[in-house]
Every structure is written in structure tokens, then in C-alpha cells.
Amino acid sequence: MPIPDKIYALAPEMTAWRHDFHAHPEIGFEETRTSEIVARALEGWGYEVHRHVGKTGVVGRLKVGTSPRSVGLRCDMDALPMHEITQLAYRSKFENRMHACGHDGHTASMLGAAKYLAETRNFDGTVTLIFQPAEEGVGGANAMLADGLFDRFPCDTVFGFHNSPKLDVGKFAIRPGPMMAGGAFFDIKVQGRGSHGAHPEHSIDPVLTACQIVTALQSIVARNIGAVDQGVISVTRIEGGDAYNVVPDTAWIRGTARFFKPEIGKLIEDNMKRMAKGVASGFGATAEVDWRLIFAPLHNTPDEATFAADVAAEIAGEANVERNRSLIMGSEDFSFMLEKVPGAYINIGNGDSAQVHNPAYDFNDKLLPYAAAFYARVVEKKLAAA
Ligand SMILES: [Zn+2]
Ligand SMILES: [Zn+2]
């Protein structure tokens, strides 16, 4: 089945929602206007609506028939704190606020699917619509999970998508297993003892110690991680001292690590702590590592990845579905939901647009019917009447 006619018919309405969201971008956990528009629309179509799941998140549920089966659909709603440079008629009305990742389009397309599903009711079971806040590194998925998302609204499986610049509109891309990297941020505090710069013999130099730690950390990638596993450690900031002639008391090493397997993330964390402490100890200093997991690796369960690819192939044709796309070093916090419930995340082409997080980016409205059809057909196929 290609895109259903009834979804094509919703394209003008989805486009209007999308342009309205684009003009009124709200960053993580501030999506009060967006989530209220979503909640009221869902209520109008007969969904059971739950506000404030994960602060500004919204959950909508619709049960049709008698089956106990359930499927979750997830989108993100937040914008970024950056300045839009497009001259679009619907460009951001606010300084330092921009829908530069396409979450305006993600939300609009899931609303389109919601309206279609409520009108057609061509399934047997419960659909749970998860409108997530704060995807951009500030913990929206975990906030919803902490509020009992899957305990209060059980889902057998859960599905989501992200638009993909440079992939043609009408094309889908996915892979089973790991698809996007996990990401952690780290801060290492190196504590030494300050002195006059002319008398380092009176110091325990934290700057020299920090430099040795930075060099040693790369041995984790080179010597501790197996060559077939991917891992990245990037020290991106070093701080310490204020003067040319003073050895400071402390120095800081900050950066990010990326990896595709949770156990490799743990391996990097454990080795980093041991290495930092050990190297510091050799210099008579101490080191403390603060490691914060921001994104889990995104892992598609194989059956659901195949199912999502089959849905995409129905909509767009097998030739337009890349079933084994390359790994993505970027991260996505839907990964935390996929740690709890089987499911899959798919990319849908945004065409020849600027990259996401670029001030010239815009979501491609031609994608809306493809995304809405993907969401809707996932439900109709997963919860097909017996
Ligand atoms: Zn983003
Ligand atoms: Zn995004």
C-alpha cells in the first residue's frame, strides 16, 4: 500500500501545523505552547490525553477493539537555542530559538497520523502516542521514563523516526542492531599544589599532570577497545591557571566519548577513571572523574527493524529502503526508550536541505505524508484485526 489517500489529504493541515510550530520554537522543557496545541488536538479527536509526562511531554492513547496488544509511536517537540538565518515566511519569531533539527515536522507528522488513526480506526488494540520534550541533550526521554511512561502506558513495541538531510525525499534508511552512537561527557579535576612559576619544585604541577593524562587517555581507544569495536575519546577543553608565573592548584580536562555498545561505554569510563587516578598518583597529584551518560547507544531490535523496513517498503517501494545503512556517530535519546521496550528508529529523507543544527536548515514539507504514513501503517500492521 503506498501512502493512503486520506493521509495525502491531511498534507495541507500537517503543513500548517508545521509552519506554526516552526514560527514558535520552544527549547527543551519549555514546550508549553507546542504541547498544549498537541494535547487539545488529541482531545478533539477522542484520545485519552495525559499532560506533564516528563514535564512538558504529552501522551495520547486510543483503544480500538478488544485486543490487549499495544504499540507506541514517539516524536520529539523541542527546538534549539540558535538563531535562524532563513528568510522563510514562517521563520522563527524569536531570537536564539530555532527548529533546526526538524522536530516541528516530526510533531506535525505524528499529529497527522493521530488524526488519520482516530478517523479510520482500522486496527485492533491500543496506540500510545508519545510526544517527547527536550531531546536535544537535556534529558526528555529519561524524564518521561522517570514519570513511569511504560508502566502507566505499556507498549509491546515502540517506533520513531528522524528526518535525514541529503537522503532523497521518499527514501527510508535503517539498520538492525546498533544504529547511532552513545555519548558521554566527562570532567576530570586534577588536584595538585600551586607555587611560584620560578619554583616548580615547591609545586605538584596539575598542568603537567593533566597533559600526561590527556595523552594517556588515547591509549584506551588504541589499546583497550578491540579493533572491531568503535570508540572515540575527544578531549575538547583544558583549563587551569590564570597567570604566566603561577603554577595553579588545579587543572580541568573536559570532553566527550562516543561508542556503539553499552559495554564499550563502561569500558571507557572504567579505564578513564583508573588511568586518570593512576597517572595523577605518579605525579603526586589526585584526579577525580565525573562521567555523565547523555545518550545511550541507539539499538534497533532486529525483528522491529525488519518490520519498520517492511512498512517503509510498502509505502515507498523496496528500492527506496536502505535496510543496512551505515552507523551514525551522532546520538539520539529515543535510545533510552529502546532500552526498555523493543522497537526501531528509522531515517526518512529530507532531500537536499542544509544539515540539521545549521542556521539555514528547514524541514521539508514533502516529507510529512511519508512520515505520517509510516506512523499510521506501523499501527495498522502491528495491530491488524485478526
Ligand atoms: Zn538535533
Ligand atoms: Zn533531532
Side-chain angles (χ1 to χ4, degrees), residues 76 78 80 100-103 135-136 162 331-332 356-357:
D76 41 19
D78 58 321
L80 285 154
C101 206
H103 301 182
E135 189 282 327
E136 296 287 1
H162 206 290
S331 301
E332 157 65 56
V356 293
H357 295 211

Side-chain angles (χ1 to χ4, degrees), residues 162-174:
H162 206 290
N163 76 90
S164 188
K166 309 304 175 203
L167 184 65
D168 292 346
V169 174
K171 292 198 170 180
F172 292 73
I174 192 169

Side-chain angles (χ1 to χ4, degrees), residues 14 22 27 39 43-44 126-127 132 152 156 170 172 195 199 216 220 225 238 260 275 335 344 368:
M14 289 193 281
H22 192 92
I27 61 168
E43 282 168 344
T126 301
V127 59
Q132 185 204 301
R152 294 161 65 190
D156 300 333
F172 292 73
S195 77
H199 290 283
I220 297 171
I225 299 175
I238 302 182
F260 284 96
M275 182 72 79
S335 58
L368 290 165

